[in-house]
Amino acid sequence: MSQPPLGPLLFARYAYPPNELGYCGPPDPASLLEASEGLDVARLYQLATKFSGAWPYLELIADRNGITDPLDARVVEAYWVGNALLEQVPVSALASSLRDRFGGSAGHRFGAMASAVPLGGVCSHSLHVFAVYPWLGLLRSGIDGPSLTVLDRCRIRWGRVESVTGDHVTVRNRVLVFQKSQLVLGPERSEVARRSIDGIGLAPDVEVDDIVSLHWDWVCDRLSPEGLASLKGCTAVNLAAVNGLPVSGMAGACES
């Protein structure tokens, strides 16, 4: 059997964790897992378009780089982790895309959300989490609830593998903390993440001391030194962008 392109599988690795929790994507999370396990590329493409939060970003990144396939591996990596393709997405294009998608539903709050872009926000998943989701705005309004946990778990995190036991991996990584209206990276902690269910999973095999990416409570991929630097960089600039706003964007959108 010929191997499918990496892009659709890479997308599934990052998209499955919130889909499993019912936060985004098609209503049957098992379909994404099954399509990946069965190397059903056509099905993976069909399912990817159902992620109404991520898909327009993929289309925008691809278009601005002259790439016809939104699931090209370079495009998928750019959105979830970050790479040089993001440099070709100008502020005007990203702001226009956000306006088209959220201007109506966000109302007067859209201005604050869009303001994160000229402050340095780049077209990656962390911008969507920090600026489009309402969670930071809720924190700044004094409403705690699950806000900080969602912000931390929904962003793409990175960490070092400490141990591997069956379907689970212990990873050392830094958590988000909320200090004086700012989101910042706090201390390290060890957490147990999943890499498979009964041996069936999406992520590649990992070993102790590997640097991996995580989304919610799943390991998504091994990170190269370049990938780690890009993920750290995108996270830093998007945190700086929303921290530079007097009020966070609260679009009320709940897409991933």
Side-chain angles (χ1 to χ4, degrees):
M1 179 184 299
S2 62
Q3 292 297 315
L6 177 59
L9 287 176
L10 187 62
F11 179 82
R13 288 176 180 176
Y14 287 96
Y16 177 74
N19 187 221
E20 181 196 33
L21 296 171
Y23 291 148
C24 61
D28 179 16
S31 60
L32 196 62
L33 196 63
E34 292 167 359
S36 300
E37 181 71 12
L39 306 181
D40 188 343
V41 176
R43 181 64 172 152
L44 286 173
Y45 269 90
Q46 181 185 42
L47 292 169
T49 64
K50 305 299 183 183
F51 287 82
S52 58
W55 187 253
Y57 290 113
L58 297 175
E59 291 183 311
L60 177 61
I61 296 167
D63 177 70
R64 289 291 164 167
N65 284 274
I67 298 172
T68 58
D69 181 7
L71 288 186
D72 182 291
R74 298 166 295 172
V75 175
V76 174
E77 179 187 61
Y79 175 65
W80 293 113
V81 176
N83 61 31
L85 268 59
L86 298 183
E87 297 172 8
Q88 302 304 315
V89 182
V91 167
S92 58
L94 179 53
S96 177
S97 176
L98 291 173
R99 184 178 300 106
D100 290 344
R101 296 172 63 188
F102 305 117
S105 61
H108 69 278
R109 296 185 297 270
F110 175 76
M113 178 179 73
S115 295
V117 178
L119 286 176
V122 295
C123 186
S124 71
H125 180 64
S126 59
L127 181 71
H128 192 82
V129 174
F130 299 151
V132 176
Y133 279 179
W135 303 112
L136 179 54
L138 292 173
L139 282 174
R140 286 175 167 170
S141 299
I143 304 172
D144 295 329
S147 299
L148 186 59
T149 297
V150 174
L151 285 164
D152 187 54
R153 307 296 284 179
C154 191
R155 72 184 176 101
I156 307 303
R157 315 186 301 287
W158 61 88
R160 183 180 299 276
V161 174
E162 294 184 315
S163 66
V164 181
T165 306
D167 290 331
H168 296 89
V169 180
T170 302
V171 182
R172 188 81 173 170
N173 68 94
R174 297 177 69 183
V175 298
L176 278 180
V177 296
F178 185 62
Q179 297 178 342
K180 298 180 179 179
S181 81
Q182 305 284 289
L183 276 180
V184 297
L185 288 175
E188 287 190 340
R189 60 137 187 230
S190 294
E191 68 169 285
V192 177
R194 289 184 290 171
R195 65 183 182 123
S196 56
I197 299 175
D198 296 329
I200 299 175
L202 299 170
D205 291 335
V206 297
E207 300 176 350
V208 172
D209 287 333
D210 280 347
I211 304 298
V212 297
S213 55
L214 304 104
H215 196 188
W216 288 94
D217 60 346
W218 279 81
V219 172
C220 298
D221 202 8
R222 286 193 304 267
L223 291 175
S224 66
E226 296 78 14
L228 175 61
S230 292
L231 180 54
K232 286 183 174 180
C234 285
T235 302
V237 298
N238 284 334
L239 281 174
V242 295
N243 284 336
L245 296 172
V247 180
S248 94
M250 293 178 61
C254 292
E255 301 168 330
S256 178

